[in-house]
């Protein structure tokens, strides 16, 4: 399907991460997705490193994940095959003041180990920090998908997300 074919899915994601004093970040996440005729689930573990330069932070990271259910496969006949995947990403965040951070960019390349799932994405957004423990965010992203027809990466969908972060 094309990027202009309408609403594709809804999802909820829960994640936990920890940034160590040496700027390494480890995390885990679970996502449940409702598609028009099916559902999918993903679990992920990640590691990254924050490179800080004044108000700007660059965070490269890598993750391993496993997908269950209707995953966005290149070969549709394999859509319900559970499988592992990997991703590499880089994020750039600009702290505007004590409350506002512009999530300037997040670029991701994600692929299944067997090559049947290639879904890169770019996004940008904003975060508002209420205090040392609570913040909200909103972002918008654009994703591509290789459909396996020889045309390579094709437009897939826009993503809009809002969320709440709690630090402890």
């Amino acid at each position: 399907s094309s990027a202009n074919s309408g609403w594709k899915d809804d999802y909820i994601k829960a994640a936990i991460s920890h940034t160590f004093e040496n700027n390494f970040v480890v995390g885990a996440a679970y996502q449940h997705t409702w598609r028009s005729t099916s559902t999918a689930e993903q679990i992920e573990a990640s590691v990254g490193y924050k490179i800080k330069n004044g108000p700007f932070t660059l965070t490269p990271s890598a993750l391993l994940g496993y997908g269950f259910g209707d995953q966005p496969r290149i070969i549709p006949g394999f859509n319900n095959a559970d499988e592992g995947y990997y991703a590499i990403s880089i994020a750039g965040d600009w702290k505007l003041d004590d409350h506002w951070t512009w999530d300037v960019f997040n670029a991701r390349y994600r692929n299944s180990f067997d090559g049947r799932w290639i879904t890169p994405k770019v996004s940008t957004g904003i975060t508002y920090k209420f205090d040392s423990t609570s913040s909200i965010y909103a972002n918008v992203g654009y994703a591509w998908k290789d459909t396996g027809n020889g045309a390579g990466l094709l437009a897939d969908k826009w993503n809009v997300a809002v969320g709440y972060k709690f630090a402890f």
Side-chain angles (χ1 to χ4, degrees):
S1 63
S2 74
N4 298 321
S5 64
W7 200 268
K8 290 187 176 269
D9 51 40
D10 296 293
Y11 70 90
I12 188 168
K13 187 173 189 174
I16 187 167
S17 66
H18 179 75
T19 302
F20 294 92
E21 288 183 20
N22 62 3
N23 291 331
F24 275 97
V25 183
V26 295
Y30 167 79
Q31 178 174 311
H32 182 86
T33 303
W34 294 271
R35 302 193 196 293
S36 60
T37 60
S38 62
T39 62
E41 296 174 285
Q42 294 167 251
I43 55 171
E44 299 175 340
S46 62
V47 63
Y49 184 76
K50 292 185 180 215
I51 304 164
K52 297 181 179 188
N53 184 10
F56 188 74
T57 302
L58 191 65
T59 309
S61 62
L63 71 77
L64 294 175
Y66 199 78
F68 307 85
D70 185 11
Q71 302 298 326
R73 303 286 194 271
I74 291 172
I75 305 167
F78 290 95
N79 277 8
N80 290 307
D82 300 344
E83 69 181 315
Y85 58 93
Y86 66 93
I88 55 172
S89 67
I90 189 158
D93 300 310
W94 192 276
K95 186 174 180 178
L96 302 172
D97 62 27
D98 288 341
H99 296 282
W100 291 99
T101 299
W102 176 25
D103 311 316
V104 181
F105 65 87
N106 188 321
R108 171 200 78 196
Y109 176 81
R110 183 172 63 181
N111 192 348
S112 67
F113 288 109
D114 65 9
R116 293 191 299 232
W117 192 32
I118 302 170
T119 55
K121 178 182 172 182
V122 295
S123 64
T124 188
I126 193 87
T127 298
Y128 180 79
K129 186 175 180 178
F130 293 104
D131 54 37
S132 64
T133 61
S134 299
S135 61
I136 58 172
Y137 66 90
N139 70 41
V140 62
Y142 194 74
W144 294 264
K145 178 170 63 173
D146 190 328
T147 63
N149 66 1
L153 292 172
L154 300 174
D156 185 34
K157 60 185 167 184
W158 285 95
N159 301 102
V160 177
V162 294
Y164 173 76
K165 295 179 185 179
F166 179 74
F168 55 89

